[in-house]
Amino acid sequence: MSQVMFDLDVLRSFATGIALGSYARAADRLGRSTSAVSAQLRKLEQQAGTVLFRKAGRGLELTEAGETLLAYAHRMLELNDEAGAAMRGVDLQGWVRLGLQEDFGETLLPAVLGRFARAHPKVRIEACVARSSELRERLELGQLDLALAWDAGDQPLSPYAERVARLPLLWIGPTAPARVDAPWWTERELRGPGARAPKSKEPLPLVMLDAPCPLREIVIAALDRAGVPWRRAFGSASLAALWAAASAGLGLTVRTPFGLPSHVRPLDRTTLALPALPQISLVLYRAQAHSEAPASRLATLLLEAVRQHVQPLAVSMRENPPLETKTKARRHGNAQLPASVG
């Protein structure tokens, strides 16, 4: 039996289409025609010897085999890109100081820094996790070279900042709804599909970060405009503490869909008669317009990792309301594949 040799170029088209939620957009990104990408995907199914896509509404989604191959594709492409970076930057030296918000500490920090350190062993990395206001202050003081943080539009962006993505703010509650002990709480599954919770005079318990916090101001302003009474049920400077409090049923919190732990989940605001919330931007801040080589290389890796994680979330949240989003859709979105695929 001959050994299957997957084409990395084909795997890159495959993974890019899923990450962007559209193979038309993937073709633009990769500088190919949609027919060329379609031919690559047919070749990939032939090499895999199994069906990788199935119909889902107006588009297609990955089969179980497609999910498995996608995971391997990410690993193979990452190793390939890491090897290329190591060859180009084998003599890269210096140091880079990176700041991130707590949302990204567990999701991005180990993978990105590990990959960077393996490719550039002569570069020293100094990383810190802090809130957005502190990260911006450290940048202005020259204590950081790069920072990845949320921007709620409360302050003008620095001249060297780059908006990476926009994600919606969601109402977040416990995975087990019965844990929330409040008269205003009503779950869709308890009242039936399409049912709405009546507005209550009981204050909504909020689990929020301590001030100063732009999201806190956004939430309070939205509730006040909607005439929804609220109370501060739990406050902390730690995001992990907020997740624990929300999971325990002390109240609801607000965050983007990025990095949600398994013991909390997005809630359908219409069911709970809660106001809509805006989107916020994910921003990569740089200390200067032209970074030194170590900082520039780390910024590239950060942007790649962020787009891989964030863009599928943005796609899936547009296509599926909270509580009804499927696990696979949350991770990969519903990619709009060329009609000739499959």
Tab-separated table of all heavy atoms in Angstrom, residues 160-201:
chain	number	residue	atom	x	y	z
A	160	TYR	N	0.538	53.420	16.536
A	160	TYR	CA	1.130	52.182	16.054
A	160	TYR	C	0.272	50.969	16.403
A	160	TYR	O	0.750	49.846	16.452
A	160	TYR	CB	2.536	52.004	16.642
A	160	TYR	CG	3.387	53.244	16.539
A	160	TYR	CD1	4.060	53.747	17.655
A	160	TYR	CD2	3.507	53.938	15.330
A	160	TYR	CE1	4.835	54.898	17.559
A	160	TYR	CE2	4.272	55.091	15.227
A	160	TYR	CZ	4.929	55.568	16.349
A	160	TYR	OH	5.675	56.701	16.246
A	161	ALA	N	-1.013	51.194	16.635
A	161	ALA	CA	-1.928	50.112	16.991
A	161	ALA	C	-2.592	49.541	15.740
A	161	ALA	O	-2.850	50.259	14.777
A	161	ALA	CB	-2.986	50.612	17.968
A	162	GLU	N	-2.875	48.261	15.765
A	162	GLU	CA	-3.512	47.571	14.639
A	162	GLU	C	-4.729	46.802	15.127
A	162	GLU	O	-4.619	45.946	16.013
A	162	GLU	CB	-2.514	46.608	13.996
A	162	GLU	CG	-3.091	45.765	12.873
A	162	GLU	CD	-2.093	44.787	12.295
A	162	GLU	OE1	-0.919	44.801	12.723
A	162	GLU	OE2	-2.486	43.989	11.418
A	163	ARG	N	-5.895	47.116	14.556
A	163	ARG	CA	-7.096	46.360	14.897
A	163	ARG	C	-7.023	44.998	14.225
A	163	ARG	O	-6.914	44.902	13.010
A	163	ARG	CB	-8.348	47.097	14.434
A	163	ARG	CG	-8.586	48.416	15.152
A	163	ARG	CD	-9.928	49.013	14.762
A	163	ARG	NE	-10.064	50.368	15.254
A	163	ARG	CZ	-10.498	50.689	16.472
A	163	ARG	NH1	-10.842	49.725	17.305
A	163	ARG	NH2	-10.609	51.948	16.835
A	164	VAL	N	-7.115	43.937	15.027
A	164	VAL	CA	-6.984	42.575	14.516
A	164	VAL	C	-8.342	41.981	14.188
A	164	VAL	O	-8.516	41.292	13.172
A	164	VAL	CB	-6.258	41.680	15.542
A	164	VAL	CG1	-6.079	40.272	14.995
A	164	VAL	CG2	-4.909	42.287	15.915
A	165	ALA	N	-9.346	42.224	15.020
A	165	ALA	CA	-10.676	41.637	14.819
A	165	ALA	C	-11.672	42.381	15.685
A	165	ALA	O	-11.301	43.145	16.585
A	165	ALA	CB	-10.666	40.155	15.177
A	166	ARG	N	-12.954	42.158	15.394
A	166	ARG	CA	-14.035	42.667	16.232
A	166	ARG	C	-14.918	41.496	16.629
A	166	ARG	O	-15.281	40.674	15.785
A	166	ARG	CB	-14.859	43.732	15.498
A	166	ARG	CG	-14.130	45.055	15.349
A	166	ARG	CD	-14.985	46.102	14.663
A	166	ARG	NE	-16.171	46.457	15.446
A	166	ARG	CZ	-16.158	47.309	16.478
A	166	ARG	NH1	-15.038	47.868	16.862
A	166	ARG	NH2	-17.267	47.602	17.117
A	167	LEU	N	-15.241	41.424	17.906
A	167	LEU	CA	-16.073	40.339	18.416
A	167	LEU	C	-17.206	40.931	19.250
A	167	LEU	O	-17.053	41.986	19.879
A	167	LEU	CB	-15.255	39.371	19.279
A	167	LEU	CG	-14.293	38.442	18.547
A	167	LEU	CD1	-13.507	37.608	19.541
A	167	LEU	CD2	-15.033	37.530	17.588
A	168	PRO	N	-18.357	40.232	19.288
A	168	PRO	CA	-19.484	40.748	20.068
A	168	PRO	C	-19.288	40.533	21.559
A	168	PRO	O	-18.638	39.576	21.983
A	168	PRO	CB	-20.659	39.899	19.552
A	168	PRO	CG	-20.018	38.609	19.151
A	168	PRO	CD	-18.679	38.985	18.589
A	169	LEU	N	-19.850	41.436	22.336
A	169	LEU	CA	-19.948	41.225	23.776
A	169	LEU	C	-21.196	40.395	24.046
A	169	LEU	O	-22.265	40.668	23.490
A	169	LEU	CB	-20.023	42.555	24.517
A	169	LEU	CG	-18.742	43.387	24.538
A	169	LEU	CD1	-19.000	44.738	25.200
A	169	LEU	CD2	-17.627	42.643	25.261
A	170	LEU	N	-21.065	39.395	24.895
A	170	LEU	CA	-22.160	38.467	25.180
A	170	LEU	C	-22.442	38.418	26.668
A	170	LEU	O	-21.551	38.591	27.502
A	170	LEU	CB	-21.795	37.046	24.692
A	170	LEU	CG	-21.393	36.898	23.223
A	170	LEU	CD1	-20.916	35.476	22.979
A	170	LEU	CD2	-22.549	37.249	22.315
A	171	TRP	N	-23.700	38.160	26.986
A	171	TRP	CA	-24.065	37.879	28.367
A	171	TRP	C	-23.632	36.445	28.675
A	171	TRP	O	-23.942	35.523	27.939
A	171	TRP	CB	-25.569	38.039	28.576
A	171	TRP	CG	-26.027	39.462	28.411
A	171	TRP	CD1	-26.601	40.024	27.304
A	171	TRP	CD2	-25.941	40.500	29.389
A	171	TRP	NE1	-26.873	41.352	27.522
A	171	TRP	CE2	-26.480	41.671	28.796
A	171	TRP	CE3	-25.464	40.563	30.701
A	171	TRP	CZ2	-26.551	42.885	29.473
A	171	TRP	CZ3	-25.538	41.783	31.382
A	171	TRP	CH2	-26.075	42.916	30.772
A	172	ILE	N	-22.904	36.290	29.785
A	172	ILE	CA	-22.317	34.996	30.138
A	172	ILE	C	-22.888	34.526	31.472
A	172	ILE	O	-22.959	35.290	32.440
A	172	ILE	CB	-20.787	35.092	30.259
A	172	ILE	CG1	-20.182	35.697	28.990
A	172	ILE	CG2	-20.177	33.720	30.545
A	172	ILE	CD1	-20.355	34.875	27.751
A	173	GLY	N	-23.302	33.256	31.513
A	173	GLY	CA	-23.819	32.670	32.745
A	173	GLY	C	-23.280	31.266	32.935
A	173	GLY	O	-22.474	30.773	32.144
A	174	PRO	N	-23.745	30.587	33.969
A	174	PRO	CA	-23.236	29.242	34.250
A	174	PRO	C	-23.727	28.215	33.235
A	174	PRO	O	-24.783	28.384	32.635
A	174	PRO	CB	-23.779	28.948	35.649
A	174	PRO	CG	-25.044	29.746	35.717
A	174	PRO	CD	-24.757	31.009	34.942
A	175	THR	N	-22.964	27.180	33.057
A	175	THR	CA	-23.398	26.088	32.190
A	175	THR	C	-24.646	25.429	32.744
A	175	THR	O	-25.536	25.029	31.998
A	175	THR	CB	-22.270	25.052	32.041
A	175	THR	OG1	-21.143	25.697	31.456
A	175	THR	CG2	-22.695	23.906	31.151
A	176	ALA	N	-24.726	25.318	34.067
A	176	ALA	CA	-25.910	24.753	34.726
A	176	ALA	C	-26.810	25.902	35.167
A	176	ALA	O	-26.539	26.550	36.170
A	176	ALA	CB	-25.508	23.914	35.934
A	177	PRO	N	-27.905	26.202	34.439
A	177	PRO	CA	-28.718	27.383	34.736
A	177	PRO	C	-29.388	27.357	36.089
A	177	PRO	O	-29.646	28.393	36.668
A	177	PRO	CB	-29.759	27.387	33.612
A	177	PRO	CG	-29.806	25.979	33.118
A	177	PRO	CD	-28.417	25.447	33.269
A	178	ALA	N	-29.668	26.175	36.604
A	178	ALA	CA	-30.366	26.092	37.887
A	178	ALA	C	-29.532	26.663	39.022
A	178	ALA	O	-30.043	26.947	40.093
A	178	ALA	CB	-30.733	24.642	38.195
A	179	ARG	N	-28.250	26.852	38.796
A	179	ARG	CA	-27.395	27.386	39.852
A	179	ARG	C	-27.675	28.854	40.132
A	179	ARG	O	-27.305	29.380	41.160
A	179	ARG	CB	-25.919	27.233	39.460
A	179	ARG	CG	-25.433	25.800	39.413
A	179	ARG	CD	-23.945	25.761	39.099
A	179	ARG	NE	-23.463	24.404	38.998
A	179	ARG	CZ	-22.200	24.086	38.742
A	179	ARG	NH1	-21.320	25.045	38.558
A	179	ARG	NH2	-21.831	22.828	38.664
A	180	VAL	N	-28.256	29.551	39.183
A	180	VAL	CA	-28.503	30.978	39.382
A	180	VAL	C	-29.759	31.151	40.222
A	180	VAL	O	-30.858	30.831	39.789
A	180	VAL	CB	-28.658	31.702	38.033
A	180	VAL	CG1	-28.953	33.178	38.253
A	180	VAL	CG2	-27.386	31.538	37.221
A	181	ASP	N	-29.600	31.658	41.405
A	181	ASP	CA	-30.716	31.802	42.335
A	181	ASP	C	-31.192	33.255	42.314
A	181	ASP	O	-30.826	34.068	43.156
A	181	ASP	CB	-30.273	31.397	43.744
A	181	ASP	CG	-31.429	31.463	44.736
A	181	ASP	OD1	-32.586	31.469	44.279
A	181	ASP	OD2	-31.166	31.505	45.945
A	182	ALA	N	-31.995	33.593	41.286
A	182	ALA	CA	-32.508	34.961	41.166
A	182	ALA	C	-33.881	34.924	40.519
A	182	ALA	O	-34.100	34.174	39.574
A	182	ALA	CB	-31.549	35.810	40.343
A	183	PRO	N	-34.839	35.731	40.996
A	183	PRO	CA	-36.197	35.695	40.453
A	183	PRO	C	-36.288	36.065	38.980
A	183	PRO	O	-37.235	35.681	38.301
A	183	PRO	CB	-36.932	36.729	41.320
A	183	PRO	CG	-36.127	36.831	42.568
A	183	PRO	CD	-34.717	36.622	42.153
A	184	TRP	N	-35.297	36.852	38.461
A	184	TRP	CA	-35.376	37.271	37.066
A	184	TRP	C	-34.976	36.162	36.113
A	184	TRP	O	-35.193	36.249	34.922
A	184	TRP	CB	-34.467	38.481	36.831
A	184	TRP	CG	-33.073	38.233	37.314
A	184	TRP	CD1	-32.567	38.583	38.531
A	184	TRP	CD2	-32.032	37.551	36.633
A	184	TRP	NE1	-31.264	38.158	38.642
A	184	TRP	CE2	-30.914	37.526	37.490
A	184	TRP	CE3	-31.922	36.949	35.378
A	184	TRP	CZ2	-29.711	36.936	37.141
A	184	TRP	CZ3	-30.726	36.356	35.030
A	184	TRP	CH2	-29.630	36.347	35.903
A	185	TRP	N	-34.342	35.116	36.643
A	185	TRP	CA	-33.768	34.082	35.776
A	185	TRP	C	-34.855	33.171	35.198
A	185	TRP	O	-35.658	32.623	35.904
A	185	TRP	CB	-32.769	33.234	36.563
A	185	TRP	CG	-32.181	32.121	35.740
A	185	TRP	CD1	-32.650	30.860	35.623
A	185	TRP	CD2	-31.033	32.186	34.909
A	185	TRP	NE1	-31.866	30.122	34.784
A	185	TRP	CE2	-30.863	30.923	34.320
A	185	TRP	CE3	-30.137	33.199	34.592
A	185	TRP	CZ2	-29.822	30.640	33.445
A	185	TRP	CZ3	-29.103	32.910	33.733
A	185	TRP	CH2	-28.954	31.655	33.169
A	186	THR	N	-34.865	33.044	33.885
A	186	THR	CA	-35.749	32.098	33.222
A	186	THR	C	-35.012	31.536	32.020
A	186	THR	O	-34.482	32.294	31.222
A	186	THR	CB	-37.042	32.773	32.733
A	186	THR	OG1	-37.666	33.424	33.824
A	186	THR	CG2	-37.997	31.731	32.166
A	187	GLU	N	-34.980	30.232	31.882
A	187	GLU	CA	-34.290	29.602	30.757
A	187	GLU	C	-35.262	29.274	29.641
A	187	GLU	O	-36.428	28.933	29.898
A	187	GLU	CB	-33.602	28.312	31.210
A	187	GLU	CG	-32.196	28.520	31.712
A	187	GLU	CD	-31.231	28.863	30.583
A	187	GLU	OE1	-31.625	28.810	29.403
A	187	GLU	OE2	-30.083	29.196	30.897
A	188	ARG	N	-34.825	29.381	28.405
A	188	ARG	CA	-35.658	29.058	27.245
A	188	ARG	C	-36.219	27.640	27.351
A	188	ARG	O	-37.386	27.390	27.099
A	188	ARG	CB	-34.841	29.194	25.964
A	188	ARG	CG	-35.583	28.699	24.741
A	188	ARG	CD	-34.705	28.745	23.520
A	188	ARG	NE	-34.369	30.111	23.175
A	188	ARG	CZ	-33.470	30.438	22.272
A	188	ARG	NH1	-32.807	29.519	21.656
A	188	ARG	NH2	-33.241	31.700	21.997
A	189	GLU	N	-35.326	26.682	27.767
A	189	GLU	CA	-35.785	25.303	27.803
A	189	GLU	C	-36.838	25.060	28.884
A	189	GLU	O	-37.562	24.078	28.853
A	189	GLU	CB	-34.597	24.346	27.993
A	189	GLU	CG	-33.743	24.641	29.202
A	189	GLU	CD	-32.523	25.467	28.816
A	189	GLU	OE1	-32.638	26.302	27.906
A	189	GLU	OE2	-31.479	25.270	29.445
A	190	LEU	N	-36.921	25.989	29.853
A	190	LEU	CA	-37.918	25.842	30.898
A	190	LEU	C	-39.261	26.451	30.506
A	190	LEU	O	-40.296	26.091	31.029
A	190	LEU	CB	-37.421	26.487	32.195
A	190	LEU	CG	-36.141	25.884	32.801
A	190	LEU	CD1	-35.787	26.607	34.087
A	190	LEU	CD2	-36.305	24.397	33.042
A	191	ARG	N	-39.220	27.419	29.567
A	191	ARG	CA	-40.441	28.118	29.171
A	191	ARG	C	-40.919	27.728	27.789
A	191	ARG	O	-42.019	28.064	27.402
A	191	ARG	CB	-40.197	29.637	29.221
A	191	ARG	CG	-39.910	30.171	30.612
A	191	ARG	CD	-39.592	31.667	30.558
A	191	ARG	NE	-40.692	32.427	29.988
A	191	ARG	CZ	-41.735	32.875	30.690
A	191	ARG	NH1	-41.812	32.606	31.975
A	191	ARG	NH2	-42.688	33.569	30.103
A	192	GLY	N	-40.068	27.041	27.043
A	192	GLY	CA	-40.434	26.636	25.696
A	192	GLY	C	-39.771	27.505	24.662
A	192	GLY	O	-39.420	28.656	24.932
A	193	PRO	N	-39.548	26.982	23.457
A	193	PRO	CA	-38.875	27.738	22.402
A	193	PRO	C	-39.596	29.052	22.095
A	193	PRO	O	-40.817	29.102	21.998
A	193	PRO	CB	-38.928	26.788	21.199
A	193	PRO	CG	-39.101	25.426	21.799
A	193	PRO	CD	-39.929	25.629	23.036
A	194	GLY	N	-38.802	30.117	21.979
A	194	GLY	CA	-39.360	31.407	21.597
A	194	GLY	C	-39.953	32.199	22.749
A	194	GLY	O	-40.333	33.350	22.576
A	195	ALA	N	-40.043	31.587	23.927
A	195	ALA	CA	-40.634	32.291	25.061
A	195	ALA	C	-39.691	33.373	25.557
A	195	ALA	O	-38.477	33.236	25.494
A	195	ALA	CB	-40.939	31.310	26.193
A	196	ARG	N	-40.251	34.447	26.055
A	196	ARG	CA	-39.443	35.535	26.582
A	196	ARG	C	-39.677	35.690	28.075
A	196	ARG	O	-40.790	35.554	28.556
A	196	ARG	CB	-39.762	36.858	25.876
A	196	ARG	CG	-39.356	36.876	24.414
A	196	ARG	CD	-39.320	38.287	23.906
A	196	ARG	NE	-38.806	38.364	22.553
A	196	ARG	CZ	-38.389	39.474	21.996
A	196	ARG	NH1	-38.427	40.598	22.677
A	196	ARG	NH2	-37.932	39.482	20.766
A	197	ALA	N	-38.603	36.013	28.765
A	197	ALA	CA	-38.727	36.233	30.198
A	197	ALA	C	-39.341	37.600	30.450
A	197	ALA	O	-38.962	38.578	29.814
A	197	ALA	CB	-37.355	36.159	30.858
A	198	PRO	N	-40.296	37.696	31.345
A	198	PRO	CA	-40.870	39.005	31.648
A	198	PRO	C	-39.861	39.882	32.372
A	198	PRO	O	-38.995	39.389	33.090
A	198	PRO	CB	-42.036	38.657	32.578
A	198	PRO	CG	-41.635	37.369	33.214
A	198	PRO	CD	-40.859	36.621	32.179
A	199	LYS	N	-39.959	41.202	32.144
A	199	LYS	CA	-39.078	42.102	32.868
A	199	LYS	C	-39.420	42.055	34.349
A	199	LYS	O	-40.580	42.022	34.739
A	199	LYS	CB	-39.211	43.521	32.328
A	199	LYS	CG	-38.601	43.699	30.948
A	199	LYS	CD	-38.530	45.154	30.561
A	199	LYS	CE	-37.821	45.329	29.231
A	199	LYS	NZ	-37.698	46.737	28.849
A	200	SER	N	-38.383	42.061	35.151
A	200	SER	CA	-38.563	41.942	36.587
A	200	SER	C	-38.025	43.180	37.284
A	200	SER	O	-37.097	43.822	36.804
A	200	SER	CB	-37.828	40.695	37.102
A	200	SER	OG	-37.810	40.682	38.512
A	201	LYS	N	-38.623	43.515	38.411
A	201	LYS	CA	-38.131	44.626	39.215
A	201	LYS	C	-36.975	44.181	40.106
A	201	LYS	O	-36.322	45.016	40.732
A	201	LYS	CB	-39.262	45.202	40.065
A	201	LYS	CG	-40.346	45.881	39.230
A	201	LYS	CD	-41.415	46.502	40.115
A	201	LYS	CE	-42.488	47.186	39.256
A	201	LYS	NZ	-43.542	47.793	40.097
